[in-house]
Amino acid sequence: SGKNQAQMEQIVVNGSELSQVVVDDSNLLQKKISAIRLAGPAKLQVIADFDATLTKYWVDGCRGQSSHNVLQQEDPEYNDKRQKLYEYYHPLEFDPAIPLDEKTKLMEEWWGKTHALLIEGGVTYNGIQNSVAKATVAFRDGVTELFELLEEKGVPVLIFSAGLADIIEEVLKQKFHRSFKNVRIVSNRMVFDENGRLHSFKGKTIHVLNKNEHALDMAVPVHDRCDDMNGLGDEKSALKKRTNVLLLGDHIGDLGMSDGLDYETRISVGFLNDRVENSLESYRKAFDILYLNDASMHGVVKLASHLC
Ligand code: TMP
């Protein structure tokens, strides 16, 4: 309808963000917005990547740190060892010549070795707090408003990351100074021993190539360090009934985050932060809405306010 058309233009063509947003098929987007709006907030959930999606790619002229990079162990030798692994495996992560099954094995190897170094070199909750306090990490402008709006409307947010849940949780705590009832973190979660030292990781490792498999099966409430995940059964099945999705990501692979869900309508929002010319064509085809050059979250807040 004319009204919806006007709404959509407001979302995608608003003042200062005009040059930073690309919509490949605005008719399709408009249909999706109408369908989600009609079904209402009870049918909606948000699935968001963390690094460089909720957080800024650039922070005061420096690359924002990922949850893995934030964590500094007491013995610097272990930070160096993890950095060496990064230098070896990170290029392989993006090497188009490596077949998927082989790359999956490499990623399992990388995450396995990194987690082992974290356990061997020691990590404490105190160390996590200190690392996060010093970290170069900032949420995009508008993330607070987005979380507040979704909380008010009772729409759950799954933050989905192949990084470290405990770091992400601490970043949320330190940056927001409050918790959100509706926010869940799906990521690699640490288990601490009675002396408060990292002992192991909980459940199956989430790496970049299996970020699609167990979105709902690993969801743990923020600030809930309880070992018994069975209590979440009801919540998981409630999430599966929310068949409309607003997905936020910065890699085309992030679209897989909703694979565990039999969704009806999905609006995908992409952030193309860097080397825009190289990826613009593939990203604009892959995402319903694409924000360029480390944009703010204000457009997504506006979109969400039209969806619920
Ligand atoms: P994600 O944030 O998109 O879920 O992916 C996690 C990123 O973490 C991935 O691009 C590789 C990176 N990473 C590190 O920087 N250091 C590490 O030790 C590991 C295992 C991954």
Side-chain angles (χ1 to χ4, degrees):
S1 71
K3 184 162 169 268
N4 277 335
Q5 181 74 46
Q7 277 173 358
M8 202 187 61
E9 276 165 14
Q10 241 191 338
I11 295 159
V12 298
V13 188
N14 74 87
S16 62
E17 300 213 340
L18 183 62
S19 61
Q20 297 197 299
V21 60
V22 179
V23 173
D24 189 59
D25 185 342
S26 52
N27 281 331
L28 178 63
L29 174 60
Q30 196 191 326
K31 281 200 188 104
K32 289 184 177 187
I33 291 173
S34 302
I36 292 182
R37 188 179 170 81
L38 190 68
K43 279 284 177 191
L44 180 63
Q45 62 175 298
V46 175
I47 302 180
D49 169 60
F50 183 73
D51 296 311
T53 296
L54 292 176
T55 61
K56 292 178 178 173
Y57 191 77
W58 295 107
V59 181
D60 301 328
C62 298
R63 267 292 274 115
Q65 285 179 302
S66 71
S67 58
H68 275 290
N69 294 336
V70 162
L71 186 54
Q72 296 298 310
Q73 292 174 272
E74 253 170 58
D75 183 346
E77 198 188 310
Y78 282 89
N79 299 326
D80 295 343
K81 283 183 182 168
R82 286 188 293 127
Q83 180 60 25
K84 291 247 158 55
L85 291 176
Y86 179 89
E87 283 158 19
Y88 176 75
Y89 285 103
H90 191 60
L92 304 178
E93 180 186 349
F94 289 96
D95 187 343
I98 304 173
L100 190 64
D101 56 342
E102 207 176 300
K103 203 185 272 191
T104 302
K105 282 205 194 91
L106 289 165
M107 294 301 110
E108 279 167 3
E109 218 175 83
W110 182 13
W111 262 256
K113 285 180 186 172
T114 293
H115 286 185
L117 286 171
L118 291 173
I119 294 168
E120 193 187 303
V123 171
T124 60
Y125 182 57
N126 219 351
I128 290 176
Q129 285 179 309
N130 293 336
S131 298
V132 171
K134 284 186 253 162
T136 310
V137 176
F139 284 101
R140 290 182 194 276
D141 292 339
V143 171
T144 310
E145 289 91 326
L146 181 65
F147 285 0
E148 280 172 359
L149 171 74
L150 295 168
E151 184 179 50
E152 195 188 302
K153 303 284 182 178
V155 174
V157 179
L158 284 188
I159 299 177
F160 203 175
S161 171
L164 299 164
D166 304 74
I167 299 287
I168 295 171
E169 187 173 278
E170 188 60 27
V171 173
L172 288 168
K173 224 187 215 174
Q174 292 193 18
K175 301 288 177 190
F176 293 132
H177 307 290
R178 56 156 294 189
S179 62
F180 292 93
K181 290 196 293 288
N182 56 329
V183 175
R184 301 287 177 271
I185 297 169
V186 186
S187 190
N188 297 300
R189 188 165 286 272
M190 297 172 178
V191 178
F192 293 90
D193 66 17
E194 62 277 11
N195 302 318
R197 292 179 74 82
L198 174 60
H199 168 267
S200 57
F201 282 84
K202 199 178 274 185
K204 202 177 159 191
T205 304
I206 301 179
H207 54 74
V208 269
L209 293 179
N210 70 0
K211 241 178 117 173
N212 52 357
E213 271 172 26
H214 28 212
L216 300 176
D217 297 330
M218 293 198 56
V220 177
V222 173
H223 309 320
D224 184 345
R225 295 177 173 277
C226 156
D227 277 346
D228 174 18
M229 305 236 293
N230 297 332
L232 280 167
D234 289 348
E235 195 174 339
K236 277 179 227 157
S237 54
L239 279 174
K240 294 214 175 188
K241 287 185 193 130
R242 292 178 174 267
T243 48
N244 291 331
V245 182
L246 174 61
L247 182 146
L248 314 176
D250 75 313
H251 283 291
I252 290 180
D254 287 335
L255 291 164
M257 295 189 296
S258 54
D259 282 0
L261 195 74
D262 198 8
Y263 63 80
E264 262 168 71
T265 304
R266 180 185 75 181
I267 295 177
S268 55
V269 178
F271 288 87
L272 179 50
N273 300 306
D274 201 14
R275 282 167 290 184
V276 170
E277 323 73 55
N278 292 350
S279 309
L280 184 60
E281 273 321 296
S282 56
Y283 270 64
R284 71 177 287 163
K285 289 269 176 293
F287 291 98
D288 294 304
I289 304 174
L290 180 62
Y291 287 97
L292 305 179
N293 301 320
D294 214 11
S296 80
M297 201 54 87
H298 294 308
V300 177
V301 175
K302 217 170 245 179
L303 169 66
S305 73
H306 288 289
L307 296 179
C308 59

